[in-house]
Amino acid sequence: VLIVAAAAALGCGCGREGKDGAAPSPAPAATKARTALRDVKLTGVRPPPSSPPVSEASPESLPSFTPPPTEAMIEEYRRELAAATEAIKADAKDAGAFSRRAEAKRELGDYSGAIRDYGRAIALSPGNAALYLERARAGYRSGNVRIVLDDSSRAIELDPSLAAAYALRARARSENAEHRGAVEDWSKVIEGDPKNVEAYRRRGTARLALGDAEGACADWRRAKGMGDAESRELIRFYCW
């Protein structure tokens, strides 16, 4: 069930002023819990009045979960970009070269260029599930939900064992308010990796969006049992 008065549980500082009269800052885990639903458009579930609206906590869609590359990595990607371009000049049918250049472009922030090069690689090797997965990742990084949905689905058709494709599609489905499909995809991830903390936490948010607070709390408790601080805060906020 949903908790109606849970502001204190999320560290809002209500009624607890510091020495200078200012409310203390929320704990890091509580702050993360406020944004734990950022990929989910809730339908039929009303957050407690004291919590921020989900729309206000979700300024962007499909946020990147990949840390920015270091300077050394940037230089390596630039070298790979140049080398792959030379390889393509030597052989315009080298799918591997297009794929390597696409990865370099993606990591350097040229998402549209990466998507184009992955498209060329796919045209040369249409049965390669990994290429669809990598283009889906480029789509994810660019915030293109349709590319993520289409390419992750195609990757799964070609290779049903690709857990990363299920995870990407689950995120995109949540962004698209396809919560039941997101639950199914996170369940496939858990099936292959029963200790995947993120999968339990995110399946919980999708279940909450479907109105299944009991199932959501069960998933968050599993994640909490594996040491997940964000799930602990979600439990304090949403579960008795």
Side-chain angles (χ1 to χ4, degrees):
V1 294
L2 301 181
I3 297 176
V4 175
L10 277 184
C12 75
C14 301
R16 294 184 287 110
E17 297 182 347
K19 293 181 180 180
D20 58 358
S25 300
T31 301
K32 289 183 179 180
R34 284 183 183 273
T35 59
L37 304 179
R38 66 187 306 160
D39 294 346
V40 179
K41 289 183 171 65
L42 296 181
T43 53
V45 176
R46 181 174 60 85
S50 56
S51 70
V54 173
S55 59
E56 292 182 9
S58 309
E60 57 185 341
S61 64
L62 293 181
S64 174
F65 56 87
T66 303
T70 63
E71 286 299 321
M73 292 170 66
I74 289 173
E75 287 304 313
E76 179 62 29
Y77 287 129
R78 285 173 177 164
R79 287 193 292 270
E80 183 59 41
L81 178 63
T85 298
E86 289 303 312
I88 290 168
K89 288 179 181 178
D91 182 2
K93 294 185 178 181
D94 187 346
F98 278 111
S99 177
R100 293 192 300 275
R101 190 170 74 171
E103 180 184 6
K105 287 180 176 180
R106 183 185 67 197
E107 298 307 318
L108 290 170
D110 180 7
Y111 303 127
S112 60
I115 289 169
R116 283 195 301 271
D117 275 351
Y118 278 127
R120 290 166 181 158
I122 288 170
L124 293 166
S125 183
N128 191 327
L131 292 175
Y132 286 97
L133 173 59
E134 294 306 321
R135 190 168 67 175
R137 284 178 168 144
Y140 185 95
R141 297 276 285 276
S142 71
N144 191 317
V145 176
R146 179 45 51 193
I147 287 178
V148 181
L149 288 171
D150 290 347
D151 281 357
S152 58
S153 294
R154 181 58 178 153
I156 290 167
E157 289 175 8
L158 292 169
D159 184 356
S161 70
L162 284 176
Y166 287 105
L168 278 172
R169 190 171 70 179
R171 287 168 175 261
R173 281 178 161 176
S174 287
E175 174 62 25
N176 224 30
E178 300 173 19
H179 305 302
R180 198 168 303 282
V183 168
E184 293 172 358
D185 281 345
W186 286 122
S187 296
K188 292 294 291 186
V189 175
I190 291 168
E191 182 181 312
D193 181 7
K195 295 184 179 180
N196 191 311
V197 171
E198 181 191 15
Y200 281 108
R201 184 191 333 115
R202 289 183 176 274
R203 188 175 70 175
T205 62
R207 282 178 162 170
L208 183 66
L210 290 169
D212 181 11
E214 182 177 353
C217 292
D219 276 345
W220 293 334
R221 289 188 179 103
R222 288 291 298 273
K224 175 190 172 184
M226 291 183 277
D228 187 50
E230 292 178 51
S231 292
R232 182 178 64 247
E233 293 302 322
L234 287 165
I235 291 168
R236 292 174 62 192
F237 191 34
Y238 283 106
C239 311
W240 288 104

